[in-house]
Amino acid sequence: RKNTKRVPSFRKLLRTSKIKLENKLKNKQYKQQSAARKYRKEQKKLREAVRDAVSRKPFPLEECKKKVGKSEKWEEQEEEGALPLDMMDEDDLKLMEDLAQKASFLTRDLSSNEPVHVKKRKHESVIEKYEKVPRRTQTEPEKELIHLLPIKDKGGIIPQTIEKPVLNVAQDEEEDTEEMEEAEDFNEEVLPVLTPEEMAAQRRQKLQERKAHIAALASAILSEPDNNVADLSASFLNQIKKLKELRAMLMEQDPNVAVIVRKLVMVSLMEIFKDIAPSYKIRPLTEVEKATKVKKETRKLREFEEGLVSQYKFYLENLEQTIKDWKQRKLKKSNVISLKAYKSLAEIAVKCLCELFVALPHFNFHNNIIVLVVPLMNDASKMISELCVEAVKKLFKQDKLGYASLGVVKVISGLVRGRNYDVRPEVLKVFLHLRIKEVELQKDSEDIAPKKKFMTYKEKRKNLSRMQRKWKKAEEKLERELLEVEASESKEKKLKLHTETLNIVFVTYFRILKKAQKSPLLPAVLEGLAKFAHLINVEFFDDLLVVLHSLIASGGLSYRESLHCILSAFHILSGQGDVLNIDPMKFYTHLYKTLFSLHAGGTNDDIGIVLQCLDVMFAKRRKQVSQQRALAFLKRLSTLALHVLPNSSVGILATNRVFMQIFPKMDLLLDNDSQGSGVYLPELDEPEHCNAQNTALWELHLLQRHYHPTVQKFASHLIAGAPTEGSGALSLDLSQRPATELFEAYSMSGMTFNPPVASGTPRRKDTFSKMDSFIDEELNKQLQQHITETVVHSPLDFAKHLKESS
């Protein structure tokens, strides 16, 4: 019969596991409370019994004067209801008198000093007389006495008292227990007071003992079992036993070493589980499998796997509870660990979870670890959030198939939506590390299946007989089916997982673009779109380009965010968007207009994104770019190279070199003669209409005198027309590297010259040569200052100045 049971969804599994963990924790806490309550009651009964035994010690009876004589005694016996003595024999009478004198303590009426056979009214008067006696002795106020029941003798009533022990009895049960413990300890010997040096030595000794015990348990767990069946089963059982004993040390109660011991046990268990966990997921056995008889080795292996999963689960619960206690600032009643120590314990617990998250994505409870780690990416503690972010990045980089990545992306999407898009930008930036660059969403199964060359019909007819052709046909059919099954098992499954992952990523991005455009997550969204835009469905291209342009036109974005918008738009158009007839002139215009927003200050880092945009806008779309647009960008980039840092100048000049090589007639700007009508308008924001063909690249002559040697090489190379060979050609290490790589290679982020300035001894010069060099330096300084004042602060004003002077 076909099994029609529905597989529970991922969210239901997460919710169910959370409920089970909570119920398990509640049951555990209830059992601990019940055991503690029962222990307190037993201790209280024991103390009461001991105290009662101490208070009942025998005391010597005091000799009291006889208040009642024999005559009174016999007169009382002759009252009403008394037995007539003349009716009794002398022997019986003597026996009764002896029994009366030897009566036990329990058969006497202790409330009276009269004989037993007294009248009731006399009995009541004795009681009233006894009640009038004060219970507290006034002569000794410093000692509090307890009046016990008196002893009645034939001489009268003998009062009994003892001194009351000094006990502070509290009304609360817990306070009563603590006070009784103090009262008991009062009679014990006082422990000797240790000096700080002795306490430190004692702590080191305890810590060393715990470390040795942890090491012994870990080595016993990691020891290889023997091949013998009996030894194998015993070794498995011993491993689980030692693992359980080591996990119990997570509850270390000695306050002197509790924090360090718990940290060591956490890390040790993490390394042990990484070593002994199998490379497959252990599933629970069904009832049929449990009832089936198997070999002894198989049965012992199943018991080991069951014990391993159980201990791994308990270990993860301990880590989760440690983090939860720190989050909720809960302090245990035992007060073994302080709140400050809880923070360090929680950090170690997070590190262990992150290690298991990366190392065991195939093992049990990995989805539970995802649910724990992903929300901690948005934690207020910077250390914990960075740990979790780095763990997620590592998982994305090493996850080849995509199961774990899909689970993480689902939880991140739910977290962003559940927090109303109020999360750290680093949470979304981890999407950039997904390994789905090579995925193509639209492919047929025939294209996915590996190709194999089969014999044609003519070859079969020529080389094979009729029976051989028949067998060959059936064989080729079977091989085709096997190849299709193999391809569907690997590539189609991977393709399906990556497609689902990308859909969730794009849904998250589009929600933020639609509902949270002013959120700090927008730069991360634009950066992600720039990377995965070539995988977006063509149907969304028009709407997405409209949204990106509206974001730029709104003016609410920073310069870096607007660059990401431009980069995303051109990534879309350079991928599947090649088939669309869309002219992104407005994006070209925006980049051309805002190039002079870059300078040698804080925006110098944005030049890396500008170089990426120029590569996508011109190098990959050279057929869609006009000559006027290329000339305008070449001129403006040359002007920009004058007032940025050297690494930016190198990247910009490398881009200009690409311009001069892929676009014809770029050498027009190397001549002084104009090539058309009109005057160059550097202040115009339209690259198509600024008449860039009527200007010259005079900036290259200034860059030839730059202090950076690489900038000088590029300027001289461009003045020569950017030749690929000859005396003016660049070296291979500069010509074969892209502009973005050169920008990073010559970065001056370390506040040092890159490349470093060579140190050498100055040569001796005569007086005239020193004067000439001094004059040259002064002239260069004045020229550089003039250029800085006119170009750095306002390149457009300098261009106007040149125009007016001409």
Side-chain angles (χ1 to χ4, degrees):
R1 183 180 177 183
K2 187 177 179 181
N3 188 10
T4 59
K5 184 178 180 181
R6 294 183 61 186
V7 179
S9 63
F10 180 76
R11 293 181 179 275
K12 188 173 182 181
L13 285 174
L14 295 181
R15 187 166 60 249
T16 305
S17 62
K18 184 176 181 181
I19 293 173
K20 287 183 177 179
L21 290 175
E22 290 177 355
N23 292 340
K24 183 70 176 178
L25 180 60
K26 290 179 180 178
N27 293 336
K28 187 176 180 181
Q29 292 176 350
Y30 178 76
K31 289 180 180 179
Q32 292 176 352
Q33 292 174 0
S34 301
R37 197 181 300 113
K38 185 177 180 181
Y39 177 78
R40 286 198 300 270
K41 289 182 179 179
E42 291 177 354
Q43 292 297 320
K44 184 178 178 182
K45 290 180 180 179
L46 181 61
R47 281 189 291 271
E48 289 177 354
V50 172
R51 188 171 63 248
D52 190 27
V54 171
S55 64
R56 290 179 181 274
K57 289 182 179 179
F59 290 92
L61 296 177
E62 299 179 1
E63 294 293 333
C64 298
K65 294 182 179 181
K66 297 182 179 180
K67 298 180 181 179
V68 182
K70 279 187 176 182
S71 58
E72 295 177 357
K73 183 177 180 180
W74 293 114
E75 288 177 2
E76 291 172 1
Q77 290 179 358
E78 293 177 359
E79 296 288 336
E80 294 180 3
L83 186 63
L85 297 179
D86 55 350
M87 295 180 63
M88 299 181 63
D89 296 336
E90 293 182 0
D91 296 337
D92 293 337
L93 182 61
K94 187 176 181 180
L95 179 62
M96 291 295 293
E97 290 177 357
D98 294 339
L99 288 175
Q101 295 297 326
K102 296 179 181 181
S104 66
F105 176 77
L106 297 177
T107 57
R108 296 187 183 186
D109 186 2
L110 301 179
S111 62
S112 174
N113 59 353
E114 299 291 332
V116 179
H117 306 287
V118 77
K119 287 182 76 173
K120 184 176 181 181
R121 52 186 178 84
K122 290 188 177 182
H123 180 241
E124 290 177 356
S125 63
V126 172
I127 292 176
E128 292 176 358
K129 184 179 180 181
Y130 177 75
E131 289 295 335
K132 292 179 181 180
V133 177
R135 293 179 180 270
R136 194 180 294 261
T137 307
Q138 301 295 331
T139 59
E140 297 178 358
E142 67 277 6
K143 294 183 179 180
E144 187 177 0
L145 300 177
I146 297 178
H147 294 270
L148 303 178
L149 294 175
I151 298 175
K152 183 180 179 182
D153 200 0
K154 58 183 179 180
I157 294 177
I158 303 173
Q160 299 293 322
T161 59
I162 63 170
E163 294 182 5
K164 183 178 181 181
V166 181
L167 293 174
N168 297 326
V169 182
Q171 295 181 359
D172 192 10
E173 184 178 357
E174 295 183 359
E175 294 180 0
D176 187 17
T177 304
E178 295 176 358
E179 295 295 331
M180 289 178 181
E181 290 176 355
E182 292 178 2
E184 286 181 354
D185 297 339
F186 181 78
N187 296 325
E188 297 178 358
E189 296 181 358
V190 181
L191 296 176
V193 179
L194 300 178
T195 62
E197 292 79 6
E198 293 175 347
M199 293 176 65
Q202 186 180 9
R203 180 178 179 273
R204 285 194 297 270
Q205 182 181 1
K206 289 182 180 179
L207 193 58
Q208 194 64 30
E209 292 175 357
R210 301 293 196 282
K211 287 181 180 179
H213 189 48
I214 292 171
L217 290 175
S219 61
I221 295 170
L222 296 176
S223 60
E224 292 291 337
D226 298 329
N227 295 326
N228 191 0
V229 177
D231 295 339
L232 183 67
S233 60
S235 178
F236 283 159
L237 293 176
N238 186 48
Q239 281 182 321
I240 299 300
K241 182 180 178 181
K242 298 294 184 183
L243 194 61
K244 186 176 181 180
E245 184 179 353
L246 181 59
R247 188 181 58 80
M249 294 183 70
L250 285 172
M251 297 293 108
E252 176 65 42
Q253 296 299 319
D254 192 345
N256 293 326
V257 295
V259 178
I260 297 180
V261 169
R262 292 187 184 187
K263 289 180 181 179
L264 292 174
V265 174
M266 282 182 187
V267 178
S268 302
L269 284 172
M270 180 263 295
E271 295 293 341
I272 288 172
F273 282 120
K274 285 169 61 177
D275 289 338
I276 67 176
S279 59
Y280 54 87
K281 188 174 182 179
I282 301 174
R283 62 175 182 84
L285 299 176
T286 61
E287 296 297 333
V288 178
E289 291 174 340
K290 291 180 181 179
T292 305
K293 291 184 178 180
V294 293
K295 294 182 179 180
K296 193 173 183 179
E297 302 97 323
T298 306
R299 181 168 57 83
K300 294 301 179 183
L301 181 60
R302 286 180 177 180
E303 292 177 358
F304 171 73
E305 290 178 346
E306 185 178 357
L308 177 63
V309 171
S310 176
Q311 296 302 318
Y312 186 58
K313 178 184 177 183
F314 291 146
Y315 172 63
L316 294 179
E317 288 176 353
N318 286 330
L319 295 181
E320 180 186 12
Q321 189 61 38
T322 302
I323 299 172
K324 190 179 295 184
D325 290 342
W326 171 66
K327 285 289 184 184
Q328 299 175 357
R329 301 297 190 270
K330 285 185 176 180
L331 190 63
K332 299 296 183 182
K333 292 183 179 180
S334 59
N335 294 332
V336 174
I337 299 177
S338 62
L339 284 176
K340 292 183 179 179
Y342 263 114
K343 182 179 180 181
S344 62
L345 276 176
E347 290 175 354
I348 298 297
V350 172
K351 287 182 181 179
C352 295
L353 282 174
C354 292
E355 288 288 335
L356 296 172
F357 174 76
V358 177
L360 302 177
H362 57 277
F363 197 54
N364 298 56
F365 308 113
H366 190 259
N367 289 336
N368 302 84
I369 301 177
I370 291 174
V371 176
L372 289 175
V373 171
V374 170
L376 292 176
M377 296 167 62
N378 194 42
D379 193 78
S381 175
K382 186 177 180 181
M383 178 182 177
I384 290 179
S385 63
E386 288 179 354
L387 280 174
C388 298
V389 168
E390 290 300 323
V392 173
K393 289 180 182 178
K394 288 181 183 178
L395 181 68
F396 283 165
K397 289 179 182 179
Q398 72 181 25
D399 186 20
K400 297 180 179 179
L401 188 57
Y403 281 110
S405 298
L406 178 59
V408 174
V409 169
K410 284 182 178 180
V411 178
I412 291 177
S413 178
L415 176 69
V416 173
R417 189 177 181 183
R419 297 285 179 89
N420 198 17
Y421 312 105
D422 185 17
V423 297
R424 298 162 61 96
E426 289 79 6
V427 177
L428 281 185
K429 286 184 179 179
V430 297
F431 287 161
L432 300 175
H433 299 271
L434 288 168
R435 294 186 58 178
I436 48 179
K437 296 179 182 179
E438 71 281 359
V439 175
E440 295 179 7
L441 299 180
Q442 294 180 354
K443 271 195 172 184
D444 298 330
S445 59
E446 296 179 358
D447 298 331
I448 296 171
K451 298 290 189 282
K452 183 175 180 179
K453 187 176 181 181
F454 296 101
M455 294 180 67
T456 60
Y457 178 75
K458 290 184 178 180
E459 292 175 348
K460 293 177 183 177
R461 186 84 180 219
K462 183 178 179 181
N463 300 325
L464 302 176
S465 63
R466 183 178 181 183
M467 185 60 66
Q468 289 176 338
R469 289 199 303 270
K470 187 175 181 181
W471 279 102
K472 191 69 176 178
K473 184 177 180 181
E475 187 178 298
E476 290 178 353
K477 182 180 179 182
L478 180 61
E479 287 183 1
R480 285 193 184 93
E481 292 177 354
L482 291 175
L483 288 174
E484 290 177 359
V485 169
E486 183 180 357
S488 62
E489 287 289 331
S490 58
K491 293 187 177 180
E492 285 188 1
K493 191 175 293 185
K494 181 178 178 181
L495 181 65
K496 184 178 180 181
L497 289 172
H498 285 182
T499 305
E500 187 177 357
T501 304
L502 267 181
N503 288 338
I504 298 174
V505 171
F506 285 138
V507 165
T508 306
Y509 285 164
F510 294 158
R511 281 175 181 164
I512 296 173
L513 286 176
K514 183 179 179 181
K515 299 181 180 180
Q517 293 185 356
K518 295 184 179 180
S519 170
L521 301 177
L522 189 60
V525 171
L526 297 174
E527 194 173 352
L529 287 175
K531 181 172 183 178
F532 301 117
H534 61 285
L535 300 174
I536 302 176
N537 197 341
V538 183
E539 299 175 357
F540 301 110
F541 280 4
D542 291 335
D543 297 334
L544 192 55
L545 289 175
V546 170
V547 171
L548 293 176
H549 183 260
S550 63
L551 287 173
I552 295 175
S554 64
L557 302 181
S558 65
Y559 186 63
R560 191 180 186 89
E561 293 172 356
S562 64
L563 291 177
H564 279 303
C565 284
I566 296 172
L567 187 61
S568 301
F570 281 98
H571 271 301
I572 291 172
L573 296 175
S574 63
Q576 303 178 59
D578 283 339
V579 298
L580 302 177
N581 188 14
I582 298 175
D583 185 17
M585 184 60 195
K586 45 194 173 183
F587 295 104
Y588 282 101
T589 303
H590 178 74
L591 181 62
Y592 182 81
K593 180 174 62 177
T594 59
L595 274 179
F596 285 142
S597 300
L598 301 168
H599 50 73
T603 58
N604 186 77
D605 295 335
D606 297 338
I607 294 180
I609 307 175
V610 171
L611 296 177
Q612 297 179 32
C613 293
L614 292 172
D615 180 61
V616 180
M617 295 165 68
F618 290 93
K620 295 182 180 179
R621 292 175 58 85
R622 65 187 71 178
K623 296 181 180 180
Q624 289 89 357
V625 178
S626 63
Q627 180 182 353
Q628 293 294 330
R629 193 182 304 173
L631 288 171
F633 271 91
L634 180 62
K635 174 62 179 177
R636 182 153 288 196
L637 287 173
S638 300
T639 307
L640 177 64
L642 290 173
H643 58 281
V644 290
L645 293 180
N647 61 327
S648 301
S649 297
V650 172
I652 290 172
L653 293 178
T655 303
N656 287 350
R657 177 177 178 271
V658 175
F659 273 54
M660 297 181 72
Q661 288 180 347
I662 64 176
F663 291 104
K665 299 182 181 180
M666 287 293 107
D667 55 352
L668 295 176
L669 300 183
L670 299 177
D671 296 334
N672 293 330
D673 299 334
S674 61
Q675 300 295 326
S677 61
V679 181
Y680 174 57
L681 304 174
E683 72 277 3
L684 192 65
D685 293 335
E686 293 293 335
E688 297 283 353
H689 307 291
C690 66
N691 298 325
Q693 73 277 2
N694 294 327
T695 186
L697 296 179
W698 53 265
E699 297 87 355
L700 297 178
H701 292 278
L702 294 177
L703 292 171
Q704 263 188 319
R705 295 173 175 83
H706 200 278
Y707 71 89
H708 199 277
T710 310
V711 177
Q712 295 178 10
K713 292 179 183 178
F714 267 100
S716 302
H717 174 68
L718 293 178
I719 288 175
T724 57
E725 57 185 9
S727 60
L730 288 174
S731 58
L732 291 178
D733 60 330
L734 295 178
S735 61
Q736 295 183 355
R737 299 169 74 179
T740 53
E741 186 177 343
L742 290 170
F743 171 76
E744 296 292 338
Y746 290 97
S747 174
M748 299 178 65
S749 58
M751 300 303 293
T752 57
F753 288 103
N754 188 9
V757 178
S759 60
T761 58
R763 294 176 298 175
R764 294 183 178 180
K765 299 182 180 180
D766 54 10
T767 307
F768 295 102
S769 61
K770 291 182 179 180
M771 291 177 62
D772 292 339
S773 63
F774 177 76
I775 292 171
D776 290 338
E777 290 177 1
E778 290 296 325
L779 289 176
N780 286 332
K781 286 181 181 179
Q782 293 179 7
L783 181 59
Q784 190 68 27
Q785 183 180 1
H786 177 70
I787 294 171
T788 304
E789 292 176 353
T790 55
V791 179
V792 173
H793 297 291
S794 179
L796 297 179
D797 295 340
F798 181 63
K800 291 181 180 178
H801 176 70
L802 288 179
K803 178 181 176 183
E804 292 174 358
S805 62
S806 62

